[in-house]
Amino acid sequence: MPDNILDYLVIGAGPAGLQLGHHLHRAGRDYLILEAGPAPGQFFRTFPRHRTLISINKKNTGWDDPELNLRMDWNSLLSDDPDLLFTRYSDRYFPQADDMVRYLGDYARACGLRIVCGARVARVERPGAFLVTLEDGRTYRARRVVVATGVSRPNVPPIPGIETADLYQTASVDPADYLGQRVLILGKGNSAFETADNLMETAAVIHVAGPHSVRMAWRTHYVGHLRAINNGFLDTYQLKSQNALLDGDVRRIERQPDGTYLVTVAFARVNEVTKDIPYDRVIVCTGFRFDASIFAGDCRPDLVIDGRFPALTPAYESVNVPDLYFAGTITQSRDFKQGTSGFIHGFRYGVRALHRVLESRHHGVPWPGRTLPADPAALAAAVIERVNRTSALWQQFGLLADVIVLDDDGTARYLEEVPYDMEGPPIGNRGHFAITLEYGPGHDQVDPFDIKVARIAQSDSARAHEGHYLHPVVRHHRPGEPVAAHHLTENLENEWDSPEVHVEPLRAFLAARTASVPA
């Protein structure tokens, strides 16, 4: 066992591990990244199975500002090198997964990251410092471990007989293998519909089943719900082309002697009964989960959401294992099926926030920010400048916040991209303003294409809090008092800079709230 103890051991060289590696490397920290595969980005060598990403790659925005451009670039990792933008790797709006593999490899090399490949972790223990043992017996010790492994295990529901079905991870993607067959696909997410779309030209019948209704991303604003690129199957269902959605529970899957299946489905609709339906193939597309099996009992993290993800503090730390941190898609327990922590365009900012936590906690580096006069007009100008430009608050809506802390000397500290629910340093406990971008309450209950749905006028600042679309929210938090909130009215072009509609109402709110702050 080596004598040296690393400051940081990162497990996984996918996008999150590489992103954190970049920040650690640039800060001059003592770190190492362990990667089970032969090269970075192994996940994207297999997934998505049909090789088209659903993360947008919008190159032509009409903007020159690189920060604004990141709002429409969902694949790039953060760096100081403009050549390390994913938009240099593909012109396609929905790019190919192989382009992501190439990009991640180039990113790791260009950043000079210290990565050990072929290093699959078998055990994580904590006899003092963390002790990480690989399958080949090599060991590493570290003061802090950051897990960036992604969701590496299939999430298989407990249905009797499901072990006889094909998994999304291994099922054939050749449509010819399903010629003339009756196919059941379990799940109602993008992997299920991606699979169904691939089989529409060859399969005789395709049923997509699950206990919950299909949720469309354009309505919920959660990009993990069904995306338009994958919803061609719905057209075939509604136009009676032999395909169907089954709303209900699959109770049993029985493999027949001839290799076919008899599947028992309990329908959720009123007056429908349980039916046994024959199929030639059953494919399980029910998502993934975090693999916690490598952790010994002395450092096994608590899990949430049916055991699928680690339970995290606002600092991306395990709630029960100090100095065990998490990065990337496994941090989606923070905003499960509501935000973007499960995707590169979201977690790249979560990783940056994690690094800032590590820097401030363990190396005495202050949270990035600037000092402003505690004048309502100056504060309003700073808020307006940020909400009109930031990509981090745009992508991590409601989860990351800019924070304004008023100091005793008549100045204010403006801190960028702090986890909204973080307490203590760097915020303190005297009170603060938090600036977020958020969708309005009940936004996922409104059909965005229904022109009869009442929407507030963009000039109606008095009703800004009723807006459904993404807009800035400024909240004043003070111990022992209700939170005071001010909403900036939504805007078609997402430009919140009108002196009368946006700036002056915000200045007035800040003036009223700062005037009430005790000296």
Side-chain angles (χ1 to χ4, degrees), residues 75-234:
N75 300 284
S76 291
L77 298 180
L78 305 176
S79 79
D80 299 321
D81 186 350
D83 289 332
L84 289 180
L85 291 171
F86 186 85
T87 49
R88 304 289 180 95
Y89 284 73
S90 175
D91 294 330
R92 300 184 63 174
Y93 190 77
F94 292 111
Q96 293 297 294
D98 290 341
D99 292 326
M100 176 59 73
V101 173
R102 184 164 55 94
Y103 169 71
L104 294 175
D106 288 352
Y107 183 93
R109 285 187 290 272
C111 294
L113 303 184
R114 297 193 284 274
I115 304 173
V116 178
C117 293
R120 184 174 295 278
V121 173
R123 187 81 166 167
V124 178
E125 303 167 274
R126 196 171 189 183
F130 287 98
L131 175 64
V132 177
T133 303
L134 306 186
E135 285 186 345
D136 61 12
R138 286 178 288 172
T139 59
Y140 297 89
R141 291 193 296 167
R143 294 177 179 86
R144 290 167 284 277
V145 167
V146 183
V147 183
T149 54
V151 282
S152 55
R153 291 179 55 196
N155 181 53
V156 181
I159 300 171
I162 199 169
E163 71 280 357
T164 64
D166 295 324
L167 295 178
Y168 169 74
Q169 293 89 323
T170 53
S172 172
V173 295
D174 184 354
D177 290 340
Y178 302 85
L179 188 65
Q181 294 185 354
R182 294 172 54 87
V183 181
L184 173 66
I185 299 171
L186 299 183
K188 287 184 176 177
N190 282 291
S191 62
F193 283 92
E194 164 200 324
T195 301
D197 280 2
N198 184 54
L199 302 183
M200 284 194 299
E201 293 182 349
T202 56
V205 172
I206 305 171
H207 290 170
V208 175
H212 306 294
S213 299
V214 173
R215 305 203 73 191
M216 306 303 299
W218 65 50
R219 183 164 183 165
T220 66
H221 304 111
Y222 170 63
V223 299
H225 284 146
L226 182 58
R227 302 287 298 286
I229 189 177
N230 288 328
N231 72 10
F233 176 84
L234 297 180

Side-chain angles (χ1 to χ4, degrees), residues 367-381:
W367 199 279
R370 50 192 165 127
T371 300
L372 299 171
D375 171 71
L379 299 181

Side-chain angles (χ1 to χ4, degrees), residues 221-465:
H221 304 111
Y222 170 63
V223 299
H225 284 146
L226 182 58
R227 302 287 298 286
I229 189 177
N230 288 328
N231 72 10
F233 176 84
L234 297 180
D235 194 65
T236 70
Y237 170 42
Q238 289 300 313
L239 297 179
K240 303 302 180 186
S241 299
Q242 293 188 275
N243 299 328
L245 287 179
L246 307 185
D247 298 322
D249 292 304
V250 173
R251 297 286 178 82
R252 185 181 301 105
I253 300 172
E254 293 185 13
R255 187 75 178 267
Q256 304 299 297
D258 63 357
T260 62
Y261 295 86
L262 193 65
V263 177
T264 303
V265 180
F267 288 90
R269 295 177 180 174
V270 177
N271 297 327
E272 293 207 53
V273 298
T274 298
K275 295 180 65 174
D276 292 331
I277 307 175
Y279 297 101
D280 298 294
R281 303 286 286 273
V282 178
I283 306 174
V284 181
C285 301
T286 49
F288 300 87
R289 63 193 302 121
F290 170 62
D291 185 0
S293 63
I294 62 174
F295 293 95
D298 60 359
C299 61
R300 180 170 292 123
D302 288 348
L303 303 178
V304 292
I305 310 174
D306 296 327
R308 291 182 64 183
F309 301 99
L312 304 180
T313 71
Y316 303 95
E317 186 178 25
S318 168
V319 298
N320 66 303
V321 183
D323 293 323
L324 178 62
Y325 295 90
F326 295 86
T329 191
I330 49 179
T331 65
Q332 64 184 277
S333 56
R334 297 268 296 138
D335 56 358
F336 185 62
K337 291 192 176 181
Q338 295 180 5
T340 60
S341 292
F343 311 91
I344 291 175
H345 64 293
F347 69 61
R348 64 191 177 194
Y349 300 107
V351 171
R352 185 161 70 183
L354 165 60
H355 180 252
R356 290 170 175 173
V357 167
L358 299 175
E359 288 288 289
S360 60
R361 280 186 176 182
H362 305 298
H363 306 288
V365 178
W367 199 279
R370 50 192 165 127
T371 300
L372 299 171
D375 171 71
L379 299 181
V383 171
I384 292 295
E385 188 276 331
R386 276 287 291 170
V387 298
N388 280 288
R389 186 168 180 263
T390 172
S391 176
L393 304 190
W394 174 276
Q395 307 289 21
Q396 291 265 268
F397 48 87
L399 192 63
L400 293 182
D402 283 2
V403 169
I404 298 174
V405 181
L406 301 180
D407 291 325
D408 295 331
D409 60 359
T411 63
R413 286 176 290 134
Y414 193 107
L415 308 174
E416 297 183 358
E417 302 167 25
V418 181
Y420 177 82
D421 48 350
M422 182 173 282
E423 298 179 350
I427 299 171
N429 57 10
R430 293 182 54 217
H432 64 279
F433 292 93
I435 300 97
T436 57
L437 290 175
E438 299 177 24
Y439 292 95
H443 66 90
D444 57 342
Q445 305 302 312
V446 177
D447 182 351
F449 304 116
D450 185 351
I451 62 174
K452 295 181 180 180
V453 173
R455 299 193 69 169
I456 64 169
Q458 295 185 49
S459 59
D460 192 352
S461 58
R463 297 179 60 202
H465 61 284

